[in-house]
Amino acid sequence: MKLLNQSIRYLSVSILGIVTLWAVVFYVNMLAEIKGSIDEGLENYKRIIIHNAQNDSTILTKQTFDESFFTIQPIGKQSALSQKDQYLDTILYMQDADDEALEPEPVRMLISAFEIEGRYYQLKVANSMVEEDDLIEALLWDVVWLYIILIGGIIFINNVALKRLWKPFYDFLYQLKSFRLGHTHKLPATATPIREFTDLQDAVNMVLQENIHVYDQQKQFIGNASHELQTPLAIATNKLELLLENKEFKAADAEKVAEVYHIIQRLVRLNKSLLLLTKIENRQFPNDQMISFNEHVRRCVDDLEDMSAYKGIAITVTESSELQASMDASLADVLLSNLIRNAVFHNVENGTVHINLSDEGLKIVNTGTSQALDERQVFTRFYKSDTEKNNTGLGLAIAKAIADLYGFTIRYRFESDLHCFELHISSPQ
């Protein structure tokens, strides 16, 4: 989730809590104001009724609520003297113009006592008040609209003001994602007066410069190591070949020389594999293009035809769809060659290798040893499932490095006495 959207989410939740709290406080205060205003009106109404009762004794006989909304009941002196003004919420049955019958309505009532000419009376004065249900509903909708307006305002500000504010950051991030060691010569940069962004830019560029320096040194080391190792190995190989061609050589000496020759050849393969693995990890293969795995698999199977025929291994290829991906063609050859060669070289005589190509990826199932490989170690460097001297133990490690380079997933499992390697490829964009 983007930072801007995350900010909106936090602000929305925070504002919802604040507005809800504000609505509760507002409702309590508003209800208190309404009741206070009604109570003042009841107090004034009480004084008017008592004043009129002193001049008109018929008022003292009003014992039921009607359009005047008050009643007067005679009470004893003791009750009158102990009576204090009370304000309370209650219900009265009233009938409005649009009502067919009496309906209960909430009212605010004042209960008081007064004395006229030595007689004591209890006065009840009622005044209709806003129904709390209607008040809560009206308040709820006011709060909802307030919340919608606030969120709309935040989204507008976010997409206009804040988006413009964060634009330098996203520009810098885009340049950083596009940066490639050894191929991008310009460091990411964006013009911004914001100090935090400039500090981030300086810190990132400092790290990049250090990585570029280390990368250049490593690249130079790889080139020098390749030259320095391959040259003496080539010279030693040539000299051994000349010795083996010498007819005066005894058979026992020739066997020793041949053994040394094979050791040197293994060193040559090991040197090439290590250099290739290092180049892969350093991303020194920038020539990506859309390649067909189907074509590369068919070519690899053709190349291994003599070897598979010699061991009596039957290779079958099932193509349910065209599998494509964007990657370096030479690395595609190395990846598929290592996986298929592994299935052939570590197979048994008269064994089988089945290759299945689908739109999801590649699956290679082969016969072999009756024991499963170590799933945790099978793709690590120099892991060997047998004691074969000619095996460098780097083939599957190189395949794993190539898969990781392009975001592919490679897995091994053992089921039904068969070894299975699965390569899952993301769909090409």
Side-chain angles (χ1 to χ4, degrees), residues 2-4 158-175 189-194 197 201:
K2 286 188 175 181
L3 182 61
L4 292 177
N158 178 78
N159 290 333
V160 176
L162 293 181
K163 196 171 184 179
R164 182 178 302 175
L165 178 67
W166 282 93
K167 187 177 183 301
F169 172 79
Y170 287 113
D171 289 343
F172 180 75
L173 185 62
Y174 174 77
Q175 296 180 51
T190 181
T192 174
I194 301 174
F197 290 166
Q201 179 176 302

Side-chain angles (χ1 to χ4, degrees), residues 94-209:
M94 297 181 294
Q95 185 175 6
D96 297 333
D98 57 347
D99 294 335
E100 296 180 357
L102 294 174
E103 292 184 357
E105 297 288 345
V107 297
R108 185 73 169 170
M109 182 176 291
L110 167 61
I111 303 177
S112 183
F114 65 94
E115 178 266 336
I116 295 179
E117 297 179 355
R119 294 184 178 183
Y120 296 90
Y121 302 90
Q122 184 185 62
L123 173 65
K124 292 182 179 180
V125 185
N127 193 354
S128 179
M129 61 180 293
V130 180
E131 295 186 32
E132 292 186 20
D133 293 342
D134 295 339
L135 179 64
I136 292 174
E137 183 179 354
L139 177 61
L140 174 63
W141 282 110
D142 290 341
V143 169
V144 169
W145 281 111
L146 175 62
Y147 181 74
I148 292 174
I149 292 172
L150 287 174
I151 296 302
I154 290 174
I155 294 175
F156 174 78
I157 294 173
N158 178 78
N159 290 333
V160 176
L162 293 181
K163 196 171 184 179
R164 182 178 302 175
L165 178 67
W166 282 93
K167 187 177 183 301
F169 172 79
Y170 287 113
D171 289 343
F172 180 75
L173 185 62
Y174 174 77
Q175 296 180 51
L176 191 60
K177 287 181 178 179
S178 304
F179 188 86
R180 295 292 181 269
L181 281 174
H183 305 288
T184 306
H185 303 290
K186 185 179 179 181
L187 292 175
T190 181
T192 174
I194 301 174
R195 182 175 179 181
E196 286 78 5
F197 290 166
T198 56
D199 290 345
L200 175 64
Q201 179 176 302
D202 293 340
V204 170
N205 286 342
M206 182 175 65
V207 173
L208 286 178
Q209 287 175 341

